[in-house]
Amino acid sequence: MINVTKSYLGNKSKFMGYVDSIYASGWLTNHGPLVTELEERLRDYLGVRNIVLTNNGTLALQVAYRALKLSGSAITTPFSFVATTSSLQWEGIRPIFVDIDKASWNLDPQTIEERIESDTSAIVATHVFGNPCDVEAIAQVAERYRLKVIYDGAHAFNVRYRNRSVFNWGDVSTLSFHATKLFHTIEGGAIVTDDDALAARIRLLCNFGIVDTDVIDGIGINAKLNEFAAAMGLCILDDMPLILEQREEITRRYEDRLGDHFDLQQQQPHSERNHSYFPIALANEDQLLRCRAALNAKGVNPRRYFYPSLDTLGYLQPQPPQVQSRSLSRRVLCLPIYPGLPRHVQDSVVQTLLGETSRRSQRQTGRFWSQIETAGLMEHRFSLTASECKRISDPSAT
């Protein structure tokens, strides 16, 4: 089965070289030399001031909330991976959903203010599929109401906005280095901030609050990355130019052949993409399910990112319905994209999608003419051009 992604493993010999160094030193975890090296290299590669590695992206979010001393409630998006919301609830922070922009698919800054409550302490937004949020507009709202800003940047590795890393906006950005991600450490994550004091607090929180062997400064948790994970990250970081080049090539082929047939996410101006995902929005959920079934029959397994809309989760009710998010979540399908994806597989994906939607359109047109004839409209000398008939049967047609 061809899945939506395939973990990139890098050069095995290089990885085993790092493994040999781990065996030689006997240092497996607790801020070992490979973790230190990876942090330094990532800081330079991304162009950020402070980066703290963690053992997954969800703990990165939870530690960020603790480090910022959030409480009460937080404004957040319903169109994201569940961890964005569940991590808030887990930490006792009540998620308040606001709807998304129907073009960018990110949290809509215009809807934030009306949902802020007296106990709201933060805005938690996601750079969905690596598309940067409207960070300036969010910053303006946050400043007016003295709110902290956390960006879930799980999809945004290497994304740049206005010629800088997108992680330079907000109080904190978090990353996921899960095996399915563009850059990964098998399991892992990171927290980025330009606040040195906050970075120091984050490091304490990630290591039980331990300052040294004799001093514990407050509560903490174990969120440290291990040396084997760091070894994988170092190998993959070396290959990032190749990874990005191949992903961009696959994206361009999809866009060239599908861009006129499906709704695509609108890219934030002044931003550079990382091609971590290729999502399309179909006409409706019925079409999505039929296209997915057709692809499954060809041995391809696309994914519904992100479904369901998080404002529908039972443990977060009652919530006012977020109309744009609910609509989009029922229609978005992510297509396979990863280095080494065979060209013929991508061609098959494209042909299957176009064929399935074309057959549907033909069936609709056939039913329309059948209805016209049954109603006897032809006998009453109604004169409709082909283009007029198409507009009647498909109101979205132009």
Side-chain angles (χ1 to χ4, degrees), residues 101 103-106 130-136 159-164 166 169 265-273:
D101 177 76
S104 72
W105 303 356
N106 288 324
N131 189 23
C133 294
D134 188 343
V135 292
E136 285 100 348
V159 169
R160 297 179 67 79
Y161 178 69
R162 294 192 184 279
N163 297 316
R164 300 169 59 204
V166 73
W169 275 265
Q265 185 182 28
Q266 183 174 308
Q267 189 69 16
Q268 178 75 7
H270 313 297
S271 66
E272 299 172 22
R273 304 159 68 181

Side-chain angles (χ1 to χ4, degrees), residues 73-201:
S73 62
I75 299 293
T76 192
T77 173
F79 191 69
S80 182
F81 184 62
V82 66
T84 312
T85 289
S86 62
S87 57
L88 284 168
Q89 187 77 2
W90 191 276
E91 291 296 323
I93 303 162
R94 181 167 50 91
I96 297 177
F97 292 112
V98 301
D99 217 343
I100 59 173
D101 177 76
K102 64 181 181 180
S104 72
W105 303 356
N106 288 324
L107 183 150
D108 184 356
Q110 305 304 316
T111 64
I112 293 176
E113 289 191 70
E114 62 193 49
R115 297 283 286 142
I116 293 174
E117 298 184 6
S118 59
D119 67 347
T120 301
S121 58
I123 299 170
V124 180
T126 299
H127 301 303
V128 174
F129 302 129
N131 189 23
C133 294
D134 188 343
V135 292
E136 285 100 348
I138 290 173
Q140 290 172 6
V141 176
E143 185 176 355
R144 262 197 308 275
Y145 291 89
R146 298 183 179 179
L147 304 177
K148 300 296 185 181
V149 178
I150 300 96
Y151 285 111
D152 183 338
H155 304 166
F157 187 86
N158 200 56
V159 169
R160 297 179 67 79
Y161 178 69
R162 294 192 184 279
N163 297 316
R164 300 169 59 204
S165 170
V166 73
F167 301 137
N168 285 299
W169 275 265
D171 295 281
V172 165
S173 293
T174 66
L175 293 76
S176 170
F177 297 155
H178 185 264
T180 58
K181 296 298 187 289
L182 171 79
F183 169 86
H184 75 89
T185 57
I186 306 172
E187 281 278 7
I191 305 170
V192 171
T193 180
D194 63 1
D195 184 325
D196 294 345
L198 183 59
R201 176 171 171 76

Side-chain angles (χ1 to χ4, degrees), residues 201-219:
R201 176 171 171 76
I202 288 168
R203 290 190 183 279
L204 278 177
L205 288 170
C206 288
N207 189 33
F208 305 102
I210 296 173
V211 178
D212 58 39
T213 55
D214 298 321
V215 179
I216 298 176
D217 183 11
I219 193 170

Side-chain angles (χ1 to χ4, degrees), residues 33 64 148 243 249 253 263 289 314 333 346:
K148 300 296 185 181
I243 293 169
E249 182 181 349
R253 290 203 300 268
D263 291 334
L289 294 174
L333 201 60
Q346 187 177 13

